[in-house]
Amino acid sequence: MYVNRLQRLLMTQTSTQANANICQHLKRAAQNMPTGLAVAVQHAKQGQFTYQEIDFASLHQQSDMIAKGLIQYGITRGMKAVLMVTPSIEFFSLTFALFKAGIIPILVDPGMGIKNLKQCFEESQPDAFIGIPKAHIARRILGWGKGSVKQVINVGGSGLQRWLANATSLETITEIGRNEAYPFEMALLKPDDMAAILFTSGSTGTPKGVVYSHAMFEAQISALKDDYGIAPGERDLATFPLFSLFGPALGMASIVPDMDASKPITANPANLFAAIEQYQCSNMFVNPALLERLGQAGEQTQHKLNSVKRVISAGAPATISSIKRFSKMLNPGVQVLNSYGATESLPISMIGSDALFTTSELTDQGKGICVGKPISSVNISIIAISDQPMPRWDNVTPLAPNHIGEIVVSGPMVSQSYYQRQQATKNAKIFDGEVYRHRMGDVGYLDDDGLLWMCGRKGHIVDAKRGQQKLKRFYTIPCERVFNTHPQVKRSAIVGVEVAGDTVPVVCIELNKDIVCSTANVLYQDLIKLAEQYPHTEGINRFLIHPDFPVDVRHNAKIFREKLAVWAQAKWRE
């Protein structure tokens, strides 16, 4: 149910009070379960595993010391600090220390590429740079934060690496804090004050800094408690750094496996299975790439995840086959909870795997992907598709059920702005009284039961044209899922190609390498017959086989259609 007028009024009244900080949850956990496990970090070497552990009381105390050290060092409340530290005890201690001190962490995805990283730092103008030696070396060579960064702190590394980083060590900062005898009092801020800047990955466009408030973090914690049912004392296999921070805030231990969190597809399943077994993890957060990789490994070894009672998948739509394969490792009744959202607004809706299986036939017929009903406090609307800014909600008329349009969301976990991106904020936000609604950049529809169906990115729509005359509109997911039912097709992507002044739909095909394929002409005829079965694919009769789709590093699922469009246009001219 959406926040009503009275709730909004109460939120407005309390937003003037300086009483917010996500670390208050850590403080309570340290008081209520001081010796309870907060974080365990796995180290794998030649099939042998060791674990570094810290309890809630120690994590609280250590982050207090670091917070005091940061302030004495000159990194103070309101300053911005880039944080490029691999998942570790230090990562948790540092992040909570920054929040406690009222310092604003800037979190970026290292997999977004050097050019995008530099742009992020130029836009955010950080005052400090905290990172591992590799990050500092890159900072010095590539000029990251040049002109704004005044303090640099190094975390970990060998003697030579530390020397190359040319930065004050975290140990020094901690020692400064330890020598300050006064009891630390965390900064209390207004709920709508900026708490962090999280940059989008850039997999569907230019990375943008999303302004996170303390109220947003609180709303996400509430959703994990109330909608996902996470309770204190649980243990989570933490494969995504940002989500792993919510563990200690929920009184849940974060178990960090030995893997590259920026490239989950490269993870060694044996490491993750060992960590789950060692700590009897009850919760897992996995993206589609990792879901597929673990499912394949589990199928080969007949592995079982008997302690797991909840699996959360997010980041991109997971395939039905991946979910079914992975679910073989779970006990009967344990769900894979597929979450829909974005950096700007997460989570928005959720659907369990059992319910998803019942909608899969409709998905294969091109009805879109069902992503469930909105979670508590979230409102979802569908509006007419437009590239123009929409300043006010009272000038917008939502579409009726079963009509495809832009997905617009509102709720307490929805961001209100991008950092230093005024035009992007105007394009993505619609003012509705005291708050902004967010245009997701996705298209879809609500059905008669209030279920949300996703039909792809707005920017990936293909409009067939004869000259300037629009003939037909093609949405990515409804079209591609039809062709993906062919056994020889691993995945497909529809793009627009210019042919003699007209825009025509062309479907790029990546073949399933596990199946012996027929000739291209036979395959194309099969796909044309498939297209003719449905009104939304009728008229598609051009196909190109691509050897290996360009996809994002983290999820291995978000197709770089812009690159495919350029490739398809060039192939068509050959």
Side-chain angles (χ1 to χ4, degrees):
M1 185 172 79
Y2 182 52
V3 180
N4 61 34
R5 188 176 181 83
L6 177 61
Q7 287 174 308
R8 283 187 184 175
L9 180 61
L10 291 172
M11 287 171 61
T12 303
Q13 291 173 342
T14 58
S15 67
T16 60
Q17 301 172 8
N19 58 6
N21 195 309
I22 189 176
C23 291
Q24 292 180 109
H25 295 281
L26 174 60
K27 182 178 180 180
R28 281 194 289 271
Q31 293 169 342
N32 296 334
M33 50 179 75
T35 59
L37 180 67
V39 180
V41 180
Q42 181 191 63
H43 300 281
K45 188 175 182 180
Q46 297 178 341
Q48 300 297 312
F49 304 102
T50 57
Y51 296 88
Q52 183 184 8
E53 299 180 348
I54 188 169
D55 59 33
F56 283 105
S58 299
L59 179 59
H60 180 47
Q61 182 183 37
Q62 189 167 306
S63 55
D64 270 0
M65 283 192 296
I66 295 173
K68 288 193 287 186
L70 290 170
I71 293 169
Q72 290 299 318
Y73 185 61
I75 307 175
T76 57
R77 177 171 171 169
M79 286 187 173
K80 302 185 296 293
V82 169
L83 187 63
M84 295 189 74
V85 178
T86 52
S88 56
I89 298 291
E90 292 78 11
F91 170 76
F92 286 86
S93 299
L94 261 168
T95 308
F96 285 122
L98 291 171
F99 284 132
K100 285 181 174 182
I103 301 164
I104 300 163
I106 299 170
L107 301 173
V108 296
D109 183 351
M112 70 171 59
I114 291 173
K115 182 180 177 182
N116 284 336
L117 282 169
K118 187 170 185 179
Q119 176 200 312
C120 292
F121 300 141
E122 287 175 352
E123 285 187 8
S124 57
Q125 290 290 291
D127 302 287
F129 193 105
I130 305 171
I132 59 175
K134 184 179 178 180
H136 282 292
I137 294 167
R139 170 185 60 81
R140 297 179 66 187
I141 295 172
L142 301 172
W144 292 346
K146 187 177 182 181
S148 69
V149 171
K150 300 299 187 293
Q151 287 99 350
V152 289
I153 298 173
N154 178 67
V155 181
S158 65
L160 176 61
Q161 289 172 327
R162 294 181 182 214
W163 180 78
L164 290 171
N166 191 28
T168 302
S169 70
L170 177 60
E171 290 86 350
T172 299
I173 297 296
T174 306
E175 192 60 31
I176 292 172
R178 184 178 289 110
N179 292 332
E180 296 294 329
Y182 65 90
F184 181 76
E185 292 293 332
M186 75 175 69
L188 294 179
L189 303 112
K190 297 177 182 177
D192 53 0
D193 280 349
M194 179 163 59
I197 301 172
L198 276 61
F199 274 88
T200 60
S201 65
S203 59
T204 57
T206 305
K208 296 183 288 290
V210 179
V211 175
Y212 263 61
S213 66
H214 290 276
M216 282 181 65
F217 280 126
E218 288 291 344
Q220 290 177 324
I221 289 172
S222 294
L224 291 170
K225 286 180 179 177
D226 300 337
D227 292 87
Y228 291 81
I230 294 175
E234 289 199 47
R235 294 182 172 184
D236 170 55
L237 184 77
T239 64
F240 180 56
L242 181 61
F243 184 85
S244 67
L245 290 171
F246 287 118
L250 288 160
M252 175 173 65
S254 288
I255 313 302
V256 182
D258 195 333
M259 61 175 282
D260 184 346
S262 68
K263 299 177 182 178
I265 195 68
T266 64
N268 184 346
N271 295 359
L272 279 69
F273 292 155
I276 293 169
E277 183 68 25
Q278 175 72 22
Y279 291 96
Q280 292 296 288
C281 294
S282 57
N283 189 77
M284 294 177 66
F285 183 95
V286 291
N287 77 350
L290 194 54
L291 194 80
E292 171 69 13
R293 186 162 178 79
L294 294 178
Q296 289 178 346
E299 191 172 57
Q300 292 171 2
T301 60
Q302 297 299 299
H303 192 83
K304 295 294 181 183
L305 301 174
N306 292 317
S307 65
V308 174
K309 65 178 184 181
R310 184 192 311 101
V311 180
I312 302 172
S313 180
T319 64
I320 296 295
S321 60
S322 293
I323 297 171
K324 286 184 175 180
R325 185 181 296 112
F326 183 90
S327 295
K328 293 177 182 177
M329 293 189 289
L330 304 174
N331 290 332
V334 175
Q335 297 279 297
V336 177
L337 304 176
N338 295 268
S339 297
Y340 171 67
T343 306
E344 297 92 335
S345 46
L346 182 71
I348 292 301
S349 68
M350 173 181 64
I351 185 170
S353 47
D354 286 351
L356 188 65
F357 295 155
T358 65
T359 66
S360 61
E361 186 175 347
L362 293 174
T363 295
D364 288 344
Q365 293 172 8
K367 298 296 185 181
I369 297 173
C370 185
V371 292
K373 287 194 174 183
I375 66 164
S376 303
S377 79
V378 168
N379 176 269
I380 299 175
S381 300
I382 307 297
I383 65 174
I385 297 170
S386 172
D387 292 326
Q388 299 302 312
M390 297 181 184
R392 299 190 63 84
W393 183 250
D394 51 16
N395 294 328
V396 178
T397 302
L399 300 180
N402 303 307
H403 285 73
I404 297 177
E406 279 189 62
I407 301 171
V408 180
V409 300
S410 57
M413 70 286 295
V414 175
S415 64
Q416 298 295 287
S417 66
Y418 294 108
Y419 188 71
Q420 303 288 32
R421 285 291 196 91
Q422 188 175 6
Q423 190 58 50
T425 298
K426 286 182 179 179
N427 291 340
K429 308 297 179 182
I430 309 175
F431 189 61
D432 182 19
E434 291 104 10
V435 297
Y436 285 92
R437 297 185 182 229
H438 178 67
R439 301 167 73 175
M440 293 291 289
D442 294 326
V443 294
Y445 63 93
L446 291 165
D447 67 15
D448 293 324
D449 296 320
L451 293 169
L452 177 63
W453 294 73
M454 224 268 280
C455 297
R457 295 291 293 171
K458 181 175 70 172
H460 295 155
I461 293 171
V462 175
D463 285 321
K465 298 179 183 177
R466 181 175 292 119
Q468 295 302 312
Q469 179 188 2
K470 288 186 180 180
L471 301 176
K472 187 172 182 177
R473 172 160 282 182
F474 297 94
Y475 301 102
T476 54
I477 291 176
C479 292
E480 293 162 5
R481 286 297 174 128
V482 169
F483 301 117
N484 290 353
T485 61
H486 194 288
Q488 294 180 24
V489 175
K490 178 181 179 181
R491 50 190 163 192
S492 60
I494 186 170
V495 298
V497 168
E498 298 298 318
V499 179
D502 298 336
T503 303
V504 299
V506 174
V507 177
C508 302
I509 300 293
E510 183 180 346
L511 297 176
N512 188 337
K513 296 179 176 61
D514 295 332
I515 294 177
V516 177
C517 294
S518 55
T519 65
N521 286 337
V522 172
L523 174 61
Y524 293 165
Q525 290 303 312
D526 287 349
L527 297 177
I528 290 171
K529 289 177 182 178
L530 271 175
E532 291 172 346
Q533 293 179 27
Y534 303 100
H536 52 276
T537 51
E538 190 176 9
I540 297 175
N541 52 27
R542 293 174 171 87
F543 303 90
L544 289 171
I545 294 175
H546 190 282
D548 192 17
F549 278 8
V551 295
D552 68 298
V553 174
R554 180 178 295 281
H555 303 296
N556 195 41
K558 295 180 179 179
I559 301 168
F560 291 131
R561 297 166 196 277
E562 292 80 6
K563 294 181 180 180
L564 276 183
V566 172
W567 172 84
Q569 186 67 66
K571 291 290 288 185
W572 210 258
R573 287 171 178 164
E574 289 180 359

